[in-house]
Amino acid sequence: MSGRAPFLILFCSALLALAGCGRDADGPLNVAIIGTPESVMADGLRLSEGAQTVRGAVASGLVALDAQGEIKPALADRWIVTDDGRSYIFRLREGTWPGGAELSGESARDALRRAIRQLRGTSLGLDLAPVDEIRAMAGRVVEIRLSTAMPDFLRLLAQPELALSHGGFPSGPMNLQAIGEGAEPGAAAAQLTLRPPEMRGLPQEEGWQEHVRPVRLRALDAQGALDAFAEGEVDVVLGGSVGSWPLADPGPLSRGTLRIDPAVGLFGLQVRRAGGFLARTENREALAMAIDRAALLAPFNIGGWTPTNRIVPAAIAGEGAAERWAGIELERLRGEARNRVAIWRTTLGQGEGPRLTVALADEPGLAMLFNELAGQLATVGIALDGVGADQPADLELIDRVARYAEPRWFLNQFNCALRRGMCSSDADAEVRQALSTADPQARMDAIARAEAMLTADNIYIPLAAPLRWSMVRGTVEGYAANPWAYHPLPELAVIPR
């Protein structure tokens, strides 16, 4: 049995237990995560956002993210970074692993190596490519050496998938247990409680239980979660996205507050199949030219949700990064798109315009998006049909929050090794080149070339940043909107003094 198996058995059994969550002002904080029990089940290394939230509560890495999305100590209580940014030296906190074994540099090194090894073949595995060596030093010290500097490496290291375990016991700040069976179908529930301070790397404290509360967690669909919030059955709803946005009308929910994360990431269309009309680069570009992104987002009426046609956001790409086709009028772009569609129709389309399919989930917000998108593409002669998210399609709607604030995360999402759709081996080679050079300017230039190649190939059509929202009752502390849309449960469990 693998090292994760005992934890997985415990977690799966807890989330599959059905329960009702009665509201008690002096009892647990009731939290609903939008999703199915399966989607929030930590059953491997490719975790949903809901599963990341739970994994981060019951298992810890060397560092973690706080409510604001900033780095905080976890198994390591302090660290230093060398001047060249290529060596991170961590001092582990006092204490033991949950199973009683010594928390030593050697055991942490072995656990981290195991975690990184298990992530091979995933996008996080690509993100971890700069990790060159992990060494155990004297006593409780671990050093991670990188092949090249990575400014946001600590945020990558804080990802829940890089949580460490020893002997099959998770090392996080909270314990998780099932809370019995209830009559409400589909309302999987579990209760998480904070471990004593000394088991969380904090000083012993008498009466610490008076300042914490359990978190009772439910997995519900969007409508069920919002209904439970409106009825006072839950205090927090996490995991809202574009698809469920039309359900989140804050008007009647006067007892709570709608919170929108300033999320960073990808929201757009990736080419799955480069055949037919999409076989040619200029036709894929025509598709991108035809979209009025501002009009696409307008029906959602969300302030601050701005359109983009960049793969890497300008704020992350660096000085001088500009939007594609800046200063060119939409009608001029659409005119060129119509010309290209007409050429394809007369030469390869046998007199008929292109008909494309897009894979997306069956959710009200995505239906709004699809209807507007299909109408826009029709103006240049492209017909668009929607299919289920798991069905074969020409295009796929990508909605993914970034893990760290570096261009390489965005580029790695289209790496050919992931087999997610159309890709560029030349762009992948530039990213590898960036990792092999010590010169900062040469790294930046290679990354810029990689993005330019992906943009020129038009394998991904950016629309905007991801949208993430929550409902949080006004009396709840420990929640903060942040760019990573990550809301740790341990901080919600602390009662303000």
Side-chain angles (χ1 to χ4, degrees), residues 34 226 229 236-241 245 248 256-261 468-473 479-481 485 487:
I34 295 175
L226 290 169
F229 188 87
V236 178
V237 175
L238 301 176
S241 65
W245 174 259
T257 303
L258 180 64
R259 309 282 186 92
I260 298 178
D261 288 297
R468 294 294 183 270
W469 60 268
S470 305
M471 295 299 302
V472 185
R473 212 167 295 285
Y479 175 98
H487 305 291

Side-chain angles (χ1 to χ4, degrees), residues 261-284:
D261 288 297
V264 176
L266 295 170
F267 184 73
L269 302 170
Q270 183 175 3
V271 178
R272 273 191 184 177
R273 301 186 300 205
F277 179 75
L278 298 179
R280 295 185 176 183
T281 300
E282 61 268 26
N283 291 343
R284 298 193 296 271

Side-chain angles (χ1 to χ4, degrees), residues 92 95-97 99-108 139-140 166:
L92 302 176
T96 64
W97 295 97
E102 180 186 3
L103 178 57
S104 63
E106 290 82 359
S107 62
R140 297 176 178 269
H166 183 78

Side-chain angles (χ1 to χ4, degrees), residues 39 76 87 135 151 159 166 204 207 227 317 326 334 351 421 447 490:
S39 72
S87 178
R135 300 197 311 156
Q159 298 305 308
H166 183 78
Q204 291 188 3
D227 288 346
R334 283 186 168 174
I447 289 295

Side-chain angles (χ1 to χ4, degrees), residues 218-237:
R218 307 171 72 181
L220 297 169
D221 62 30
Q223 189 62 65
L226 290 169
D227 288 346
F229 188 87
E231 295 297 325
E233 297 174 1
V234 300
D235 307 288
V236 178
V237 175

